[in-house]
Amino acid sequence: SLRRGSYTRLFADLNILAFSRSLPGETIIVVINAGRTIAHCKIPYPNQVYDNTFVPILGEPSVIVFQEYFIELEIAPRTGFVFGLQYS
């Protein structure tokens, strides 16, 4: 679903970009910190997400917390990560 599927921009500011790509039953989320400092962001997400649905694919943030309709994270400078969400 990273190359195909629907594209949704979840968050964007000066240095952070977060987006999802989705196919039926599969969602990939990409978060990139292009800045020179650690970034803290709270990404709104349209569906409820929980810790047990998180599947790291590439890289990993320093801190990640799932709240009902948000993904709160801290990401190192000049890095990115990709993770999938599993649905039951």
Side-chain angles (χ1 to χ4, degrees), residues 19-40:
F19 65 89
S20 68
R21 297 294 305 248
S22 298
L23 290 171
E26 177 181 54
T27 297
I28 302 293
I29 295 179
V30 177
V31 182
I32 300 165
N33 177 5
R36 294 178 186 218
T37 60
I38 292 174
H40 306 270

Side-chain angles (χ1 to χ4, degrees), residues 1-87:
S1 64
L2 191 53
R3 290 180 13 175
R4 290 180 265 172
S6 63
Y7 170 89
T8 304
R9 184 176 58 186
L10 301 173
F11 183 86
D13 74 5
L14 201 55
N15 293 314
I16 304 291
L17 173 65
F19 65 89
S20 68
R21 297 294 305 248
S22 298
L23 290 171
E26 177 181 54
T27 297
I28 302 293
I29 295 179
V30 177
V31 182
I32 300 165
N33 177 5
R36 294 178 186 218
T37 60
I38 292 174
H40 306 270
C41 60
K42 192 171 183 177
I43 301 169
Y45 192 72
N47 301 319
Q48 285 187 316
V49 291
Y50 304 98
D51 291 346
N52 62 348
T53 63
F54 169 76
V55 180
I57 295 172
L58 177 67
E60 197 158 324
S62 306
V63 175
I64 188 162
V65 176
F66 294 93
Q67 298 175 351
E68 234 176 296
Y69 291 97
F70 290 93
I71 303 166
E72 200 167 343
L73 55 93
E74 181 178 285
I75 185 168
R78 307 275 188 200
T79 61
F81 70 97
V82 180
F83 64 94
L85 294 177
Q86 293 180 335
Y87 301 104

